[in-house]
Structure formats: structure tokens, C-alpha cells
Amino acid sequence: MIPGLQSRLSESIVASTTTITVKSDIAYVTGSTAIATIRPPSQGGFSTVIFLISTASTVTTVTTGNISLAVTMALNQVTIFVWSFLNNKWYPGAIS
């Protein structure tokens, strides 16, 4: 995804587990297990953005892995996560 330019976003479905791998821009998260780690992308040393949407129930994140802030993702609402290559962490922020 390139900010400021028209982009096509890829979508996938990911089961909620303690460690998830997101290989698309938008991921629909099923289940209710708390997410501690989102595997970082292979971006060659660059930061990136992903959009997670909880589809089955509210999903939470915890800070025991590589997520900087514990959040509760509301059902059917987009939560953005920004990967910081410099800090090796995901930084969440809600979009409403």
C-alpha cells in the first residue's frame, strides 16, 4: 500500500491465536483468543500498515509479544496496526 496513491488492498481470514501471521493488507480475525504477537512482514527493513477486523467476537491484544499496547478490537470495526521496523513493535490505533 502506497500512501497518497490509489492502491488495491488484499484481504484474508486469520484465526485468532496468540501468534498470527497476516499476509494481506486487511485481515478478518475469527475467534476470541488474545493476540500477543503478529509476525512482522518481510519488507526488507521497512515499516508497514495492516488493518484487522474482528468478525466473530471482540478480540484483544496483549503486550507479552511484539504489540506495544493492549487493545480490545470491537466487533466489525477496523483497527489499524503500524509496524515499526526501528522499534520491532506493532502500534495499534482505532479507526472509527
Side-chain angles (χ1 to χ4, degrees), residues 4-17:
L5 298 177
Q6 182 178 16
S7 298
R8 292 185 178 100
L9 302 176
S10 58
E11 298 177 272
S12 64
I13 297 172
V14 177
S16 176
T17 61

Side-chain angles (χ1 to χ4, degrees), residues 23-47:
K23 295 183 177 183
S24 61
D25 302 304
I26 300 169
Y28 297 93
V29 181
T30 63
S32 59
T33 303
I35 300 169
T37 302
I38 303 171
R39 288 201 175 105
S42 300
Q43 296 282 16
F46 296 99
S47 297

Side-chain angles (χ1 to χ4, degrees), residues 44-47 83-89:
F46 296 99
S47 297
W83 171 251
S84 170
F85 177 76
L86 179 68
N87 297 319
N88 204 33
K89 291 273 185 187

Side-chain angles (χ1 to χ4, degrees), residues 1 4 10 18 21 28-29 32 51-52 55-56 66 74-75 84 90:
M1 187 167 81
S10 58
T18 56
T21 302
Y28 297 93
V29 181
S32 59
F51 303 93
L52 300 184
T55 60
N66 65 354
L75 182 64
S84 170
W90 288 100

Side-chain angles (χ1 to χ4, degrees), residues 11 30 35 39-40 53 61 70 73 78-79 90 95-96:
E11 298 177 272
T30 63
I35 300 169
R39 288 201 175 105
I53 302 169
T61 65
M73 297 186 292
V78 175
T79 304
W90 288 100
I95 296 176
S96 55

